[in-house]
Amino acid sequence: MSVGSMLCSRCGEGFDHHEKIVNSAGEVWHQQCFVCVQCFRPFPEGIFYEFEGRKYCEHDFHVLFAPCCGSCGEFIIGRVIKAMNNNWHPQCFCCELCHITLADQGFMKNAGRALCHDCNAKVKAEASGKYVCHKCHAIIEDGHIKFRSEAYHPYHFNCTGCGVELNIDAREVKGDLYCLRCHDKMGIPICGACRRPIEERVVTALGKHWHVEHFVCAKCEKPFLGHRHYEKKGLAYCETHYHQLFGNLCFVCNSVISGDVFTALNKAWCVHHFSCSICDIPMSQRTKFFEVDLKPVCKKCYEKFPNELRKRLKKLHVPTPKKTII
């Protein structure tokens, strides 16, 4: 078909020989006519959405036709989950109790909530005063065994390895239960804090194994998370609390003193932090100072005090601090 015989699908006019033509789905358009039918603007980067033979820019198509997610409130492009009288992104439609996604496994409606089959069974069991077996997820009609807050049928509380009946010392590995003998054969370390198996990263310290999050400072109980720790009498400490309890921390900056230490007024000071508490002028090991409210005051500032106050403080005069090396 020649250019002269073609007509624009929007305005019905023909094309000049030098004019740029837009071809879409077998139809032709002037470049200025190939626009969104709603806002009449060109399509950004040529991207458009077509509905019932009409072309829309992305924004207008979302506003006019795309449903909004009942969870996040965003437009849904692509797969839509229709449930509970609403629309959802597949990843947003989750069990209201355990938050597992329900898009591909189905759900149960319980008291206006969307629940997975396991949580629905638990809710029903709790309402009737019964338990749900943690292994088979069925309601336990007669007799149960409790292990780490989960209930089991008695015949489901057995070692996965040898089948022997288990007790409170059972070990759980990736959802399966094992007796101590079978667990030891697997070579899986036990955490020194929670006494549970360590299936991922292991910290070995103080002659024991630990979960990363369970190896903590004995003072502040914060995990070391790979940072250096200090051992003392079978306990582990972070750097700050180790030096606070057993070493020297500067009275001013509260940091570990790694070089020369000034000891004065029963406190430790970095060399460059030992200064007059009034004028803040640094003092050396030869500087004469006085103690006022448990803080050092240089001679110049001290002499500005009223005579009566100086008489009272005279007995508290502290000798020149000693310089020590650690």
Side-chain angles (χ1 to χ4, degrees):
M1 183 182 293
S2 64
V3 174
S5 62
M6 292 189 297
L7 298 177
C8 176
S9 296
R10 181 167 185 261
C11 68
E13 298 293 331
F15 298 88
D16 294 332
H17 287 282
H18 63 278
E19 189 173 7
K20 187 174 181 180
I21 300 174
V22 178
N23 191 320
S24 174
E27 295 183 306
V28 292
W29 316 68
H30 292 106
Q31 189 172 15
Q32 66 272 21
C33 291
F34 192 62
V35 295
C36 172
V37 297
Q38 182 70 18
C39 65
F40 306 110
R41 295 177 181 174
F43 301 114
E45 300 179 0
I47 298 175
F48 64 89
Y49 293 80
E50 190 165 352
F51 183 72
E52 295 182 348
R54 295 160 65 86
K55 294 176 174 58
Y56 299 86
C57 65
E58 185 175 19
H59 173 76
D60 287 329
F61 180 79
H62 288 174
V63 172
L64 294 172
F65 306 112
C68 289
C69 177
S71 175
C72 67
E74 298 293 331
F75 291 119
I76 305 174
I77 301 300
R79 185 183 177 192
V80 180
I81 303 299
K82 292 183 176 292
M84 307 290 291
N85 298 319
N86 216 329
N87 301 295
W88 316 80
H89 288 107
Q91 67 273 20
C92 290
F93 186 52
C94 303
C95 172
E96 292 193 29
L97 294 183
C98 69
H99 307 294
I100 188 174
T101 55
L102 301 171
D104 297 315
Q105 69 167 12
F107 72 97
M108 303 294 291
K109 188 175 181 179
N110 187 305
R113 301 175 298 177
L115 303 180
C116 66
H117 292 283
D118 290 347
C119 287
N120 183 65
K122 286 183 179 180
V123 170
K124 283 188 173 182
E126 289 172 0
S128 60
K130 298 179 180 179
Y131 294 93
V132 172
C133 178
H134 184 63
K135 186 170 184 179
C136 71
H137 307 295
I139 294 178
I140 303 173
E141 297 293 346
D142 298 306
H144 69 277
I145 294 176
K146 266 295 191 74
F147 178 71
R148 289 183 182 147
S149 75
E150 298 290 354
Y152 294 81
H153 284 111
Y155 50 84
H156 281 157
F157 196 61
N158 298 90
C159 174
T160 305
C162 65
V164 69
E165 185 176 332
L166 298 173
N167 54 33
I168 198 64
D169 292 326
R171 303 294 188 200
E172 184 178 355
V173 180
K174 296 181 179 179
D176 292 325
L177 299 173
Y178 295 89
C179 64
L180 291 180
R181 183 177 179 182
C182 288
H183 185 270
D184 290 342
K185 289 180 180 179
M186 298 168 70
I188 299 176
I190 299 297
C191 177
C194 68
R195 306 303 303 164
R196 301 193 68 175
I198 306 173
E199 299 176 15
E200 297 179 356
R201 185 180 170 190
V202 181
V203 176
T204 303
L206 305 176
K208 299 178 182 178
H209 301 293
W210 314 81
H211 286 106
V212 174
E213 63 274 17
H214 290 165
F215 185 51
V216 301
C217 171
K219 178 67 175 178
C220 64
E221 297 185 351
K222 291 182 179 179
F224 294 108
L225 301 177
H227 295 291
R228 184 178 180 183
H229 71 278
Y230 296 78
E231 298 181 9
K232 184 78 171 182
K233 296 182 179 179
L235 298 176
Y237 297 88
C238 63
E239 185 176 23
T240 298
H241 287 110
Y242 177 83
H243 287 285
Q244 189 180 74
L245 295 170
F246 311 110
N248 291 307
L249 288 181
C250 177
F251 178 71
V252 175
C253 67
N254 202 38
S255 299
V256 178
I257 305 174
S258 56
D260 293 348
V261 180
F262 273 155
T263 340
L265 311 180
N266 295 320
K267 300 179 182 71
W269 316 69
C270 293
V271 174
H272 55 284
H273 283 158
F274 186 68
S275 58
C276 174
S277 61
I278 296 178
C279 67
D280 207 30
I281 293 178
M283 296 187 291
S284 69
Q285 67 269 27
R286 298 180 181 179
T287 306
K288 185 175 182 180
F289 72 93
F290 298 84
E291 179 182 345
V292 179
D293 292 334
L294 302 178
K295 296 178 182 178
V297 174
C298 68
K299 184 179 179 182
K300 188 175 181 180
C301 291
Y302 181 80
E303 289 176 346
K304 294 179 181 179
F305 289 169
N307 290 333
E308 188 62 32
L309 178 59
R310 276 188 290 165
K311 288 180 181 179
R312 285 192 229 165
L313 297 173
K314 190 174 182 180
K315 295 181 180 180
L316 301 178
H317 176 254
V318 179
T320 303
K322 297 179 181 179
K323 182 178 181 181
T324 57
I325 308 296
I326 62 170

